[in-house]
Amino acid sequence: MLISRDTGLVELGYFETESGEVIDNLKLQYEYVGHKGQPLVVVCHALTGNHLTYGDDENPGWWREIIDGGYLSINDYQFITFNVIGSPYGSSSKLNTPDFPERLSMRDISKANILALKHFGYEKIDVLIGGSLGGMQTLEMLYDGSIEVKKAVILAATEKTSSYSRAFNEIARQVINMNGQDGLSIARQIGFLTYRSSKDYESRFSADDVVSYQKYQGNKFKDVFNKDCYLTLLDVLDSHDIFKGRDDVEERLQQLETKVLTLGFADDLLYPDDQVRALGRFFKYHRHFFVPDNVGHDGFLLNFGDWAPYVYHFLKLHKFKAR
């Protein structure tokens, strides 16, 4: 049985955002990989990620090690990832769409994912998974409920964006607005400090090395990302609050038959483990795993051997007890 891989652009037509602004013809870049007819895994990417979860041999995707490592085996599943609206990697954004909305929300991103899945004819998701901003998308898609989800995995994400995260996001905005594209380098350096723990920095860098490392990360990011797209996605991140304007969240989520796994990471400054674990109160079937590494928030992109086996075993479970 041959593995099928495809990347492309799906056109979804008229799209009205939560703020009432309009995209005349919403387009989402996507990657599909796997065996047709296998259980479907929908992967939601993080803030500055892209749709290339698997990638190719020359440019492996950001979670290819998870898939080829057998934790979510290419022989057992088919995978699809959509690049979020506003990103510079091909979906509708300020780079390619006239009169692109000034405000975009997490609910817009999740709504677009659902529209795209329905466009392709998917009526059920076997595994819905995402980390950080991807985990927030996962939570919103569960609330929507218009596509059945058998199992969901939420990594390093909570019911709303933390005040700590929003504070750093605002500093990043100010730096970009003062310095344009060059400010993007500084904004990335600021953000990177929140993605990793102080223990990780102490173990990896000398006092001199860390300065060079920060500048390297910032300048690399400035060369591949776009400031306007970054500002759009910071708004998306700041908008996340599953309760905003709603009084039925717990009721809707409690009714789901979805089996949910949450994972929190040690020394995550942005979304501490206790806040990730607290999502479990929403779900009838829930398990939680704490990852005791010292990397911090970026743990869901690194050290797969420390946590991916727990995802593997969770996906293999057939019997669950309700809370």
Side-chain angles (χ1 to χ4, degrees), residues 296-307:
H297 181 69
D298 263 1
F300 72 93
L301 296 170
L302 303 164
N303 300 342
F304 299 125
D306 291 341
W307 58 266

Side-chain angles (χ1 to χ4, degrees), residues 161-171 173 238-240:
T161 297
S162 69
S163 297
Y164 192 77
S165 176
R166 290 181 66 119
F168 277 94
N169 292 345
E170 180 55 28
I171 296 170
R173 282 191 193 89
D238 281 358
S239 75
H240 174 59

Side-chain angles (χ1 to χ4, degrees), residues 43-54:
V43 184
C44 300
H45 70 73
L47 182 70
T48 58
N50 58 37
H51 54 291
L52 300 177
T53 301
Y54 192 74

Side-chain angles (χ1 to χ4, degrees), residues 250-280:
E250 296 192 27
E251 179 184 359
R252 285 175 66 117
L253 294 180
Q254 280 283 347
Q255 290 175 354
L256 297 176
E257 294 298 314
T258 306
K259 282 67 176 178
V260 179
L261 173 68
T262 53
L263 286 90
F265 293 81
D267 299 317
D268 186 340
L269 298 174
L270 299 175
Y271 304 103
D273 175 72
D274 61 328
Q275 295 179 28
V276 180
R277 183 192 297 267
L279 290 176

Side-chain angles (χ1 to χ4, degrees), residues 82-150:
F82 299 104
N83 183 221
V84 300
I85 316 170
S87 165
Y89 296 122
S91 294
S92 296
S93 73
K94 289 188 175 180
L95 292 181
N96 57 25
T97 304
D99 301 319
F100 187 80
E102 289 301 314
R103 286 282 176 177
L104 207 63
S105 74
M106 189 68 66
R107 295 174 188 179
D108 296 326
I109 301 297
S110 301
K111 174 183 172 183
N113 290 344
I114 292 165
L115 288 174
L117 288 166
K118 291 179 177 179
H119 173 88
F120 283 118
Y122 295 115
E123 299 177 350
K124 179 182 70 174
I125 299 170
D126 292 276
V127 182
L128 177 61
I129 184 169
S132 193
L133 183 128
M136 298 169 189
Q137 294 173 62
T138 298
L139 186 59
E140 277 289 343
M141 291 172 69
L142 290 174
Y143 174 85
D144 176 271
S146 62
I147 295 181
E148 177 190 353
V149 179
K150 291 183 65 177

Side-chain angles (χ1 to χ4, degrees), residues 5-6 25 30 61 67-68 79 119 123-124 128 136 150 160 167 190 211 233 240 255 283 290 294 307 314:
R5 180 174 182 268
D6 179 44
N25 184 17
Y30 70 90
I67 298 171
D68 282 351
F79 301 82
H119 173 88
E123 299 177 350
K124 179 182 70 174
L128 177 61
M136 298 169 189
K150 291 183 65 177
K160 66 178 181 179
I190 293 169
V211 174
L233 295 179
H240 174 59
Q255 290 175 354
F283 301 106
F290 171 65
N294 68 355
W307 58 266
F314 171 76

